[in-house]
Amino acid sequence: MAYWLFKSEPNKFSWDELVAKGDAGEEWDGVRNYLARNNMRAMKVGDRGFFYHSNIGKEVVGIAEVCAESHLDSTSDDPRWDCVDIKAVKPLARPVTLAAVKNDPRLAKMSLVTCMRLSVQPVTEEEWKIVCELGGIAP
């Protein structure tokens, strides 16, 4: 299993909205960055990802799971853009803020710190465990 981080502005698509989609999940559409797209192309069904509220809140709030592998993004007529579908798995017991991530020296190399603008990021297994710990849940 691989681990990822999905960033979304909560006023555009929030954790609660993903939860409301249930097991059907939602297309992670609208991504127009080649590196983020390539990250999605590498995803497999069952991979897990942190759901991160960007701009408002700036915090990891839940865990999502890839429920459909890379396919054409329905919001684009351009065949270069793909997306995956994700579904909510569970919320964190307590949100993990960007400040907490930046203040933890174990996470200094995490993409959330080093490539903050990238909307779909890889997360190492060690980073996954640490953020889960900070969020009050078992990895």
Side-chain angles (χ1 to χ4, degrees):
M1 178 188 315
Y3 301 102
W4 308 94
L5 183 139
F6 299 91
K7 293 171 79 174
S8 182
E9 296 176 27
N11 60 328
K12 295 193 179 181
F13 188 76
S14 70
W15 169 253
D16 290 338
E17 289 173 283
L18 183 61
V19 169
K21 297 290 182 178
D23 284 340
E26 177 75 3
E27 268 192 359
W28 199 254
D29 58 28
V31 175
R32 301 295 182 264
N33 173 284
Y34 287 105
L35 182 53
R37 180 211 58 194
N38 291 345
N39 286 336
M40 289 191 290
R41 285 182 173 176
M43 293 177 186
K44 301 294 180 204
V45 169
D47 283 358
R48 295 284 172 101
F50 291 124
F51 193 99
Y52 179 84
H53 279 164
S54 62
N55 295 334
I56 302 168
K58 295 184 181 177
E59 57 193 7
V60 177
V61 295
I63 293 179
E65 181 177 295
V66 176
C67 58
E69 292 180 14
S70 182
H71 57 86
L72 290 177
D73 183 331
S74 69
T75 66
S76 175
D77 293 329
D78 188 333
R80 292 177 298 171
W81 301 117
D82 295 1
C83 66
V84 295
D85 293 7
I86 63 171
K87 65 180 181 179
V89 174
K90 64 181 170 182
L92 270 61
R94 59 184 169 271
V96 178
T97 65
L98 177 60
V101 170
K102 286 182 170 182
N103 287 330
D104 192 315
R106 301 173 296 171
L107 298 173
K109 294 183 180 177
M110 188 173 183
S111 290
L112 186 59
V113 174
T114 62
C115 299
M116 290 177 47
R117 296 186 54 84
L118 190 61
S119 62
V120 179
Q121 308 174 350
V123 174
T124 68
E125 185 174 1
E126 187 61 26
E127 293 164 346
W128 183 265
K129 290 176 182 176
I130 294 166
V131 174
C132 285
E133 171 193 315
L134 294 172
I137 62 169

